[in-house]
Amino acid sequence: MPITENNQINKIAVVGRGTAGSLAAASVTSKFAKTQDFELHHIYDSKIPVIGVGEGGWPTLVTQLHELTTIPHENIQMRLNATRKYGVSFEGWGKMNHNFTHFFTPQQVGYSYHLSADNITELLQEASNAQYIDAKVLSISNIEGEGGARIEFENLQAEDYDLVFDARGFPKEINQEEHISIPFIPTNTAIIRRCPSIINHNGNPYLPPTYTRAVARPHGWVFVIPLTTHTSYGYIFNRDCSDIAEVQSDFDDLLAIDGVKDFEQRSILHFPNFVHRHIYEGSIARIGNAGAFMEPLEATAIVSAQLQIGMVLQMRQNRPVEYWQGDIGAVNNFLISSMLGFGLFVGWHYSCGSNYDTEFWRFAKNKVWPQHHLMEYDGDCEKKALKKFKIMLELLKKPVVESAELDRNRILPLTSYAQISQGLGCYPMG
Ligand SMILES: Cc1cc2nc3c(=O)[nH]c(=O)nc-3n(C[C@H](O)[C@H](O)[C@H](O)COP(=O)(O)OP(=O)(O)OC[C@H]3O[C@@H](n4cnc5c(N)ncnc54)[C@H](O)[C@@H]3O)c2cc1C
């Protein structure tokens, strides 16, 4: 239902002050400040901490942070304690017994940041023009018949808004009615350790290329993310498959191999792999970890939030009011199938196993990944995501790929599929 007659949204709320909420607040400020008056409430509960991980992005983040803040790239990099991430370097994955890199496109040119999760929210908040409200939100619901959305608070009066971005982080529970779970990804837990920095930047922006390391281990894999202030290590595994003490012990072994003597144990995080069935509902948009999540192997979360926020603002700012209602289904389906597409790309990495023939890797390869075939029998978005994934694998089999096909970016560039396929030794069969 349209909210205002003049095709404008004037009163907007963003709930959540993590990376996703801060990105939404800065994006609203940037889009709306140029064209119209608006009122932005950025709501968060200071008693509920942000997740505090999310240290690798995709190249669009570099340009977007510059556009939103208007700060020179080098200064942004310094503010974020960042290094330039040119891709992900895989160690021990697949059946080729060799290491390989998934480069961003164009290879060795396109880069993103390894960045401080705390500093990015600060940077984005400086670029936001919002009234901050520290309060616990009890519910966000559509206002029946009138359009708009209502926020109920714990100790404040309810308020109505034209548009609400819900960026409250992971849902408390995953249920079939509201969420599509992703059963073909085998991991659900992360142990995070903070280790000393391996970067010597001498107070200048650190320009040499860096890569996120994704190191296969007996119980899963470990990310290694180099920042200028510290190196972040995260062991990603399945707590139903591996004993946590064994994982900690294998983590110690890896740090010993890497020559890391000291570390700070940060957190043990349980995560769901899921997509919300209603990422976009017209007056409510669920973004960041509230909208979708899949394990961090390809760092798809911040780029997903960018896509969700960008698409919603684009539709609500540029589409005539008479299309708004009709657009909801199409936008929502596009976002869901894109998120599921990321999920398929991530799950596929496990399809050829690793150097380790352990319970985890047998479970991941033989039991979990094959479940992606069941998407064929699910809803339209699942079918669409699977179809697009298969099209990419079909293209890899072609003797010659037309340049139009190369340029057509189906969620991720064809070069990403080619690099993973060749790296894992997992060639689609003719
Ligand atoms: C192990 C791991 C590694 C990751 N690595 C990466 C990576 O390399 N790259 C990447 O892109 N992503 C990564 N992610 C994902 C990362 O978490 C997200 O990119 C990012 O932090 C987005 O979080 P968020 O803003 O959605 O939620 P959060 O950071 O959880 O923020 C939630 C906000 O909502 C507020 N809130 C919650 N409930 C209420 C309420 N009831 N009322 C009011 N306010 C409320 C909180 O106060 C908080 O401000 C990783 C995730 C995990 C688990």
Side-chain angles (χ1 to χ4, degrees):
M1 168 128 339
I3 297 155
T4 55
E5 289 305 314
N6 59 357
N7 193 7
Q8 288 199 344
I9 43 178
N10 304 104
K11 191 174 173 192
I12 303 164
V14 173
V15 185
R17 218 175 164 187
T19 310
S22 304
L23 195 56
S27 302
V28 168
T29 303
S30 159
K31 283 251 176 216
F32 285 71
K34 292 178 199 134
T35 54
Q36 64 182 78
D37 288 337
F38 69 100
E39 190 181 355
L40 173 61
H41 290 179
H42 196 171
I43 302 156
Y44 64 100
D45 183 347
S46 56
K47 292 194 258 347
I48 304 176
V50 300
I51 190 166
V53 280
E55 292 174 307
W58 278 70
T60 48
L61 187 64
V62 173
T63 36
Q64 190 175 20
L65 286 178
H66 174 65
E67 277 163 21
L68 293 177
T69 61
T70 67
I71 297 175
H73 293 288
E74 290 77 7
N75 296 12
I76 293 175
Q77 189 182 323
M78 294 292 282
R79 288 276 311 267
L80 298 179
N81 303 331
T83 58
R84 293 183 172 188
K85 169 187 173 184
Y86 282 78
V88 181
S89 143
F90 287 85
E91 300 175 24
W93 287 75
K95 54 186 171 200
M96 305 289 280
N97 201 13
H98 73 169
N99 298 338
F100 67 96
T101 303
H102 172 200
F103 293 96
F104 291 133
T105 302
Q107 180 172 329
Q108 284 149 311
V109 175
Y111 73 90
S112 185
Y113 295 127
H114 293 124
L115 54 90
S116 150
D118 295 335
N119 295 14
I120 192 174
T121 54
E122 265 176 43
L123 186 76
L124 288 166
Q125 281 156 31
E126 284 170 25
S128 306
N129 184 4
Q131 180 188 335
Y132 289 99
I133 301 173
D134 184 351
K136 182 169 187 174
V137 167
L138 300 177
S139 67
I140 303 170
S141 54
N142 287 303
I143 305 170
E144 287 300 321
E146 292 171 41
R150 178 160 302 153
I151 298 185
E152 308 263 1
F153 297 93
E154 192 169 61
N155 285 319
L156 293 174
Q157 279 220 315
E159 286 229 29
D160 293 348
Y161 295 90
D162 299 324
L163 176 63
V164 175
F165 286 96
D166 179 358
R168 283 179 290 175
F170 290 145
K172 291 205 168 46
E173 57 164 27
I174 299 297
N175 63 67
Q176 255 232 301
E177 215 171 290
E178 284 185 66
H179 311 107
I180 303 171
S181 49
I182 302 181
F184 48 84
I185 290 183
T187 53
N188 58 19
T189 312
I191 300 176
I192 310 293
R193 293 180 179 181
R194 182 168 283 192
C195 303
S197 175
I198 49 172
I199 301 293
N200 182 2
H201 63 108
N202 294 325
N204 298 311
Y206 186 77
L207 301 184
T210 64
Y211 298 85
T212 299
R213 287 173 62 206
V215 187
R217 296 298 298 175
H219 301 285
W221 65 279
V222 174
F223 64 73
V224 186
I225 298 185
L227 273 69
T228 57
T229 42
H230 63 268
T231 307
S232 198
Y233 277 73
Y235 203 128
I236 309 295
F237 65 103
N238 187 311
R239 62 183 176 277
D240 307 315
C241 205
S242 301
D243 180 69
I244 205 154
E246 283 173 5
V247 178
Q248 296 273 26
S249 158
D250 186 56
F251 209 167
D252 292 343
D253 291 348
L254 177 67
L255 293 191
I257 293 167
D258 280 2
V260 178
K261 292 192 178 68
D262 303 318
F263 69 84
E264 180 194 337
Q265 178 85 30
R266 296 286 284 188
S267 50
I268 298 182
L269 298 167
H270 294 186
F271 56 80
N273 298 296
F274 81 102
V275 179
H276 203 291
R277 291 188 190 275
H278 303 285
I279 296 181
Y280 180 58
E281 279 190 294
S283 300
I284 304 172
R286 296 181 177 84
I287 58 166
N289 291 355
F293 186 75
M294 59 227 51
E295 69 136 273
L297 183 55
E298 286 283 3
T300 40
I302 300 177
V303 73
S304 295
Q306 289 179 273
L307 181 65
Q308 294 151 0
I309 296 161
M311 184 105 192
V312 169
L313 288 179
Q314 172 79 5
M315 299 305 287
R316 294 301 291 265
Q317 264 215 316
N318 299 338
R319 289 279 284 173
V321 73
E322 59 270 26
Y323 293 124
W324 284 7
Q325 186 65 23
D327 284 344
I328 294 174
V331 172
N332 189 49
N333 288 352
F334 171 80
L335 290 172
I336 293 176
S337 57
S338 301
M339 300 301 117
L340 289 171
F342 283 144
L344 281 163
F345 183 67
V346 170
W348 182 43
H349 290 55
Y350 290 92
S351 65
C352 291
S354 76
N355 284 352
Y356 297 97
D357 182 18
T358 54
E359 189 186 339
F360 171 80
W361 283 96
R362 286 191 294 275
F363 164 75
K365 182 179 154 189
N366 303 330
K367 291 230 168 78
V368 177
W369 170 242
Q371 292 190 48
H372 79 280
H373 292 299
L374 297 174
M375 290 171 88
E376 198 89 68
Y377 309 103
D378 285 333
D380 288 348
C381 293
E382 290 92 322
K383 286 194 187 105
K384 191 169 164 198
L386 184 62
K387 188 174 164 199
K388 282 186 170 187
F389 177 69
K390 286 183 173 169
I391 288 174
M392 299 311 270
L393 300 193
E394 285 301 313
L395 286 176
L396 296 182
K397 290 196 271 182
K398 280 190 159 188
V400 175
V401 181
E402 302 293 329
S403 58
E405 294 285 13
L406 263 183
D407 294 342
R408 193 177 302 160
N409 187 346
R410 295 174 195 268
I411 306 168
L412 292 160
L414 183 59
T415 48
S416 288
Y417 292 83
Q419 292 178 76
I420 298 303
S421 165
Q422 291 175 24
L424 296 175
C426 144
Y427 305 110
M429 293 302 168

